[in-house]
Amino acid sequence: MSQSTTLTIGYPKRPNPRQALFHSIDARFRLFGGARGPGKTKALVMEALYLGAAYPGTEIVIGRRDFSDLGITTLAEFLRSCPRQLYEPPGQYHRTKHQMTWINGTRYYFMELKDPDSLLSANLGAIFIDEAVEVPRLTFANAVGCLRISPEHRIANMTLLGIPEDEARAQVMASEPIKYYCCLASNPGPGWVKELFVDNSQLIEDGVYQTAEGFVFIPARIADNEENLPPGYADEIAKTYGESERRRFLDGDWGVFEGRIFPTFYRDTHV
């Protein structure tokens, strides 16, 4: 991106308090997890956009278990949120290859993640996984092993777009050292996401939990995003769900699953 190009990447209004908290936490591993409707996917997309601008020439994967779900959720939100000028020529959006190149050399790959071997050889700056409870744990582990993009790799991505090498090198060096991030969003569910991010996490500040290994969990409920939802949204959903589903999808309760219910566990009030 040339010095004369000025674009604004941001929310249409403002992030809700939990979204703002998600963006403010400088942790390599972050989970924004909870109810339906608190703006989890939007926060994930906006963080991916911010990193693409902050680290020119980087490479970022955005994925879900199945591409059919990614296309109508996370990718659709990304395309709504990303300023078109960022990927107009010499940048490009390859709809059939599910790839986007920005004019600053940053590359995005929109991927299906159900095959763990799909992420073995990539060199990435960040990865974003939506509805992470659906994705195999080995995919997550392999993705973490791909967080290794080098300054020279980023410079090469920029020069391929015609950015002079000295300009590319100056921009990359100004943004080094790169911070490698793996960010997740998800509704509550059993399995590795809960085990790594939720179980054994402790409150470190208002609304933020962290495990001893450094996995950060930011819980969210529908009430956190009411101004961006239709009137009565939570009440209408509540009519259609049973008790455990209401607690899972309205309250974002990770301690309740079908056949495995912990009646009094709410992380925001009991930890």
Side-chain angles (χ1 to χ4, degrees):
M1 193 184 307
S2 68
Q3 296 295 326
S4 60
T5 302
T6 302
L7 294 171
T8 300
I9 298 173
Y11 287 77
K13 299 178 182 178
R14 61 182 182 274
N16 67 47
R18 289 300 175 95
Q19 289 172 328
L21 194 57
F22 174 76
H23 296 306
S24 70
I25 299 298
D26 184 18
R28 186 174 191 178
F29 300 107
R30 274 173 285 169
L31 167 66
F32 191 27
R36 297 184 64 184
K40 302 185 302 296
T41 295
K42 181 67 173 182
L44 204 68
V45 163
M46 295 308 299
E47 186 72 5
L49 293 174
Y50 295 152
L51 292 182
Y55 300 108
T58 192
E59 300 193 12
I60 296 172
V61 162
I62 298 175
R64 278 192 66 168
R65 175 182 170 83
D66 296 300
F67 190 84
S68 58
D69 293 328
L70 180 74
I72 63 173
T73 55
T74 326
L75 176 55
E77 184 61 54
F78 186 95
L79 293 174
R80 286 192 295 267
S81 303
C82 180
R84 183 177 294 272
Q85 301 95 313
L86 287 172
Y87 57 90
E88 288 181 341
Q92 192 171 14
Y93 173 41
H94 299 274
R95 294 181 183 275
T96 56
K97 294 182 179 180
H98 312 308
Q99 299 176 10
M100 178 182 288
T101 302
W102 277 9
I103 57 175
N104 70 347
T106 290
R107 298 183 180 189
Y108 291 91
Y109 304 99
F110 306 101
M111 295 183 61
E112 183 173 271
L113 299 177
K114 61 186 174 187
D115 178 10
D117 291 344
S118 63
L119 283 172
L120 284 176
S121 302
N123 293 282
L124 304 174
I127 182 165
F128 294 84
I129 304 176
D130 205 358
E131 291 305 335
V133 296
E134 302 172 353
V135 173
R137 181 170 184 164
L138 185 55
T139 298
F140 171 76
N142 287 342
V144 172
C146 292
L147 295 174
R148 59 192 181 193
I149 195 168
S150 68
E152 293 301 322
H153 189 140
R154 294 171 57 199
I155 291 167
N157 283 345
M158 298 174 72
T159 58
L160 285 173
L161 290 182
I163 299 173
E165 183 174 350
D166 58 345
E167 180 181 342
R169 186 172 298 278
Q171 290 187 36
V172 168
M173 291 301 106
S175 64
E176 281 289 320
I178 191 171
K179 293 184 177 180
Y180 300 101
Y181 290 119
C182 187
C183 299
L184 284 58
S186 190
N187 293 130
W192 67 269
V193 176
K194 181 176 181 291
E195 293 169 6
L196 286 182
F197 288 86
V198 182
D199 293 347
N200 303 313
S201 62
Q202 301 295 321
L203 185 69
I204 60 171
E205 62 178 89
D206 187 25
V208 181
Y209 298 81
Q210 183 173 314
T211 68
E213 295 77 18
F215 295 97
V216 169
F217 166 50
I218 300 172
R221 299 178 181 178
I222 287 180
D224 300 319
N225 199 39
E226 283 185 334
E227 68 175 274
N228 295 310
L229 295 171
Y233 177 81
D235 292 337
E236 291 302 313
I237 288 183
K239 295 176 184 178
T240 65
Y241 284 143
E243 179 185 355
S244 62
E245 293 166 326
R246 286 196 296 269
R247 289 169 56 188
R248 181 182 178 190
F249 293 120
L250 273 74
D251 296 331
D253 181 5
W254 287 79
V256 56
F257 304 102
E258 294 294 341
R260 185 183 175 194
I261 300 176
F262 304 89
T264 60
F265 179 84
Y266 289 92
R267 175 158 295 274
D268 275 353
T269 56
H270 289 83
V271 175

